Short mmCIF file of all heavy atoms in Angstrom, two decimals:
data_model
loop_
_atom_site.label_atom_id
_atom_site.label_comp_id
_atom_site.label_asym_id
_atom_site.label_seq_id
_atom_site.Cartn_x
_atom_site.Cartn_y
_atom_site.Cartn_z
N GLU G 1 91.31 114.60 99.22
CA GLU G 1 92.35 113.59 99.49
C GLU G 1 92.72 112.81 98.21
O GLU G 1 93.89 112.65 97.90
CB GLU G 1 91.83 112.57 100.54
CG GLU G 1 92.84 111.53 100.87
CD GLU G 1 92.35 110.52 101.92
OE1 GLU G 1 91.17 110.14 101.85
OE2 GLU G 1 93.16 110.11 102.78
N MET G 2 91.72 112.36 97.45
CA MET G 2 91.98 111.61 96.23
C MET G 2 92.57 112.53 95.16
O MET G 2 93.41 112.08 94.36
CB MET G 2 90.69 110.96 95.73
CG MET G 2 90.24 109.79 96.59
SD MET G 2 91.49 108.46 96.76
CE MET G 2 91.71 107.96 95.06
N GLU G 3 92.17 113.77 95.13
CA GLU G 3 92.72 114.72 94.17
C GLU G 3 94.24 114.84 94.42
O GLU G 3 95.03 114.83 93.47
CB GLU G 3 92.06 116.08 94.34
CG GLU G 3 92.55 117.13 93.36
CD GLU G 3 91.80 118.43 93.50
OE1 GLU G 3 90.62 118.43 93.86
OE2 GLU G 3 92.42 119.49 93.23
N ARG G 4 94.62 114.93 95.70
CA ARG G 4 96.04 115.03 96.01
C ARG G 4 96.81 113.75 95.66
O ARG G 4 97.89 113.80 95.04
CB ARG G 4 96.21 115.34 97.53
CG ARG G 4 97.67 115.35 98.00
CD ARG G 4 97.72 115.71 99.50
NE ARG G 4 96.91 114.85 100.32
CZ ARG G 4 97.30 113.64 100.76
NH1 ARG G 4 98.51 113.17 100.40
NH2 ARG G 4 96.51 112.91 101.54
N LEU G 5 96.23 112.61 96.02
CA LEU G 5 96.93 111.34 95.75
C LEU G 5 96.98 111.00 94.29
O LEU G 5 98.04 110.56 93.76
CB LEU G 5 96.22 110.23 96.53
CG LEU G 5 96.33 110.28 98.05
CD1 LEU G 5 95.43 109.21 98.70
CD2 LEU G 5 97.77 110.07 98.50
N MET G 6 95.90 111.19 93.58
CA MET G 6 95.86 110.85 92.14
C MET G 6 96.69 111.84 91.31
O MET G 6 97.24 111.48 90.29
CB MET G 6 94.43 110.83 91.67
CG MET G 6 93.60 109.65 92.15
SD MET G 6 91.85 109.73 91.64
CE MET G 6 92.08 109.67 89.84
N GLY G 7 96.78 113.08 91.80
CA GLY G 7 97.52 114.10 91.07
C GLY G 7 98.99 113.81 90.94
O GLY G 7 99.68 114.37 90.10
N VAL G 8 99.50 112.91 91.78
CA VAL G 8 100.92 112.51 91.67
C VAL G 8 101.20 111.81 90.38
O VAL G 8 102.26 111.97 89.76
CB VAL G 8 101.32 111.63 92.88
CG1 VAL G 8 102.72 111.08 92.71
CG2 VAL G 8 101.15 112.38 94.21
N ALA G 9 100.24 110.99 89.93
CA ALA G 9 100.45 110.16 88.73
C ALA G 9 99.61 110.53 87.53
O ALA G 9 99.99 110.26 86.41
CB ALA G 9 100.19 108.69 89.08
N TYR G 10 98.46 111.20 87.78
CA TYR G 10 97.51 111.44 86.69
C TYR G 10 97.20 112.93 86.55
O TYR G 10 96.90 113.59 87.54
CB TYR G 10 96.20 110.69 86.95
CG TYR G 10 96.38 109.20 87.11
CD1 TYR G 10 95.91 108.56 88.28
CD2 TYR G 10 97.00 108.41 86.15
CE1 TYR G 10 96.07 107.17 88.45
CE2 TYR G 10 97.18 107.06 86.32
CZ TYR G 10 96.71 106.45 87.43
OH TYR G 10 96.87 105.10 87.62
N ASP G 11 97.24 113.42 85.34
CA ASP G 11 97.01 114.84 85.05
C ASP G 11 95.56 114.99 84.53
O ASP G 11 95.33 115.26 83.35
CB ASP G 11 98.02 115.33 84.00
CG ASP G 11 97.92 116.85 83.82
OD1 ASP G 11 97.10 117.48 84.47
OD2 ASP G 11 98.70 117.36 83.00
N LEU G 12 94.59 114.79 85.41
CA LEU G 12 93.20 114.88 84.98
C LEU G 12 92.83 116.21 84.36
O LEU G 12 92.05 116.23 83.39
CB LEU G 12 92.26 114.55 86.17
CG LEU G 12 91.69 113.10 86.17
CD1 LEU G 12 92.84 112.14 86.40
CD2 LEU G 12 90.63 112.93 87.23
N PRO G 13 93.33 117.37 84.89
CA PRO G 13 92.98 118.61 84.22
C PRO G 13 93.40 118.61 82.76
O PRO G 13 92.66 119.19 81.91
CB PRO G 13 93.77 119.65 85.03
CG PRO G 13 93.84 119.05 86.41
CD PRO G 13 94.02 117.59 86.16
N ASN G 14 94.52 118.05 82.42
CA ASN G 14 94.95 117.94 81.02
C ASN G 14 94.08 116.98 80.24
O ASN G 14 93.65 117.26 79.11
CB ASN G 14 96.40 117.50 80.96
CG ASN G 14 96.89 117.35 79.52
OD1 ASN G 14 96.61 118.14 78.63
ND2 ASN G 14 97.65 116.26 79.27
N TYR G 15 93.81 115.82 80.84
CA TYR G 15 92.99 114.82 80.15
C TYR G 15 91.60 115.33 79.85
O TYR G 15 91.04 115.08 78.76
CB TYR G 15 92.84 113.55 81.00
CG TYR G 15 94.12 112.91 81.44
CD1 TYR G 15 94.17 112.13 82.60
CD2 TYR G 15 95.31 113.07 80.72
CE1 TYR G 15 95.36 111.51 83.00
CE2 TYR G 15 96.49 112.44 81.15
CZ TYR G 15 96.50 111.69 82.29
OH TYR G 15 97.65 111.10 82.69
N GLN G 16 91.02 116.07 80.81
CA GLN G 16 89.62 116.47 80.68
C GLN G 16 89.42 117.88 80.15
O GLN G 16 88.31 118.26 79.74
CB GLN G 16 88.91 116.38 82.05
CG GLN G 16 88.83 114.97 82.58
CD GLN G 16 87.97 114.85 83.83
OE1 GLN G 16 87.38 115.85 84.27
NE2 GLN G 16 87.86 113.66 84.39
N GLY G 17 90.49 118.68 80.18
CA GLY G 17 90.34 120.06 79.73
C GLY G 17 89.69 120.97 80.77
O GLY G 17 89.17 122.02 80.43
N ASN G 18 89.70 120.56 82.01
CA ASN G 18 89.19 121.39 83.13
C ASN G 18 89.83 120.94 84.41
O ASN G 18 90.47 119.87 84.48
CB ASN G 18 87.65 121.30 83.21
CG ASN G 18 87.15 119.94 83.59
OD1 ASN G 18 87.44 119.43 84.69
ND2 ASN G 18 86.44 119.29 82.69
N ALA G 19 89.70 121.75 85.44
CA ALA G 19 90.38 121.42 86.72
C ALA G 19 89.35 121.04 87.81
O ALA G 19 89.57 121.25 88.99
CB ALA G 19 91.17 122.66 87.18
N SER G 20 88.23 120.43 87.43
CA SER G 20 87.19 120.15 88.36
C SER G 20 87.42 118.91 89.21
O SER G 20 86.90 118.80 90.31
CB SER G 20 85.84 120.00 87.63
OG SER G 20 85.86 118.81 86.80
N TRP G 21 88.20 117.97 88.69
CA TRP G 21 88.40 116.70 89.36
C TRP G 21 87.08 115.95 89.59
O TRP G 21 86.85 115.35 90.66
CB TRP G 21 89.19 116.81 90.62
CG TRP G 21 90.64 117.17 90.32
CD1 TRP G 21 91.16 118.43 90.12
CD2 TRP G 21 91.74 116.26 90.16
NE1 TRP G 21 92.52 118.37 89.84
CE2 TRP G 21 92.90 117.04 89.87
CE3 TRP G 21 91.89 114.87 90.26
CZ2 TRP G 21 94.16 116.49 89.66
CZ3 TRP G 21 93.15 114.33 90.03
CH2 TRP G 21 94.25 115.14 89.74
N PHE G 22 86.17 116.06 88.62
CA PHE G 22 84.93 115.28 88.63
C PHE G 22 85.15 114.07 87.75
O PHE G 22 85.80 114.13 86.71
CB PHE G 22 83.78 116.12 88.10
CG PHE G 22 83.01 116.86 89.14
CD1 PHE G 22 83.63 117.85 89.90
CD2 PHE G 22 81.67 116.61 89.37
CE1 PHE G 22 82.94 118.53 90.87
CE2 PHE G 22 80.97 117.29 90.34
CZ PHE G 22 81.58 118.30 91.09
N LEU G 23 84.52 112.95 88.13
CA LEU G 23 84.55 111.72 87.36
C LEU G 23 83.16 111.14 87.32
O LEU G 23 82.36 111.33 88.27
CB LEU G 23 85.52 110.71 87.94
CG LEU G 23 87.02 111.01 87.83
CD1 LEU G 23 87.84 110.02 88.63
CD2 LEU G 23 87.44 111.01 86.35
N PRO G 24 82.84 110.36 86.30
CA PRO G 24 81.55 109.65 86.32
C PRO G 24 81.67 108.41 87.18
O PRO G 24 82.73 107.79 87.26
CB PRO G 24 81.36 109.26 84.87
CG PRO G 24 82.75 109.11 84.31
CD PRO G 24 83.58 110.13 85.05
N ILE G 25 80.61 108.05 87.84
CA ILE G 25 80.52 106.74 88.43
C ILE G 25 80.45 105.73 87.30
O ILE G 25 79.60 105.85 86.43
CB ILE G 25 79.24 106.60 89.32
CG1 ILE G 25 79.32 107.55 90.50
CG2 ILE G 25 79.06 105.15 89.80
CD1 ILE G 25 78.00 107.62 91.28
N PRO G 26 81.36 104.76 87.25
CA PRO G 26 81.29 103.80 86.17
C PRO G 26 79.92 103.10 86.20
O PRO G 26 79.48 102.60 87.24
CB PRO G 26 82.42 102.81 86.48
CG PRO G 26 83.39 103.59 87.25
CD PRO G 26 82.56 104.53 88.10
N ALA G 27 79.24 103.09 85.07
CA ALA G 27 77.90 102.55 85.03
C ALA G 27 77.68 101.95 83.65
O ALA G 27 78.29 102.36 82.67
CB ALA G 27 76.85 103.65 85.30
#
């Protein structure tokens, strides 16, 4: 769900160099 919604505005595969849609828990 978040992959679909965030993908409208953010190109995480380009930013990260992979298509995993993994993020760190901010810590």
Side-chain angles (χ1 to χ4, degrees):
E1 180 181 40
M2 288 303 299
E3 182 177 330
R4 175 178 56 81
L5 292 172
M6 289 176 61
V8 173
Y10 303 124
D11 188 0
L12 260 66
N14 177 42
Y15 304 154
Q16 296 189 1
N18 65 64
S20 67
W21 290 85
F22 268 63
L23 289 173
I25 296 172

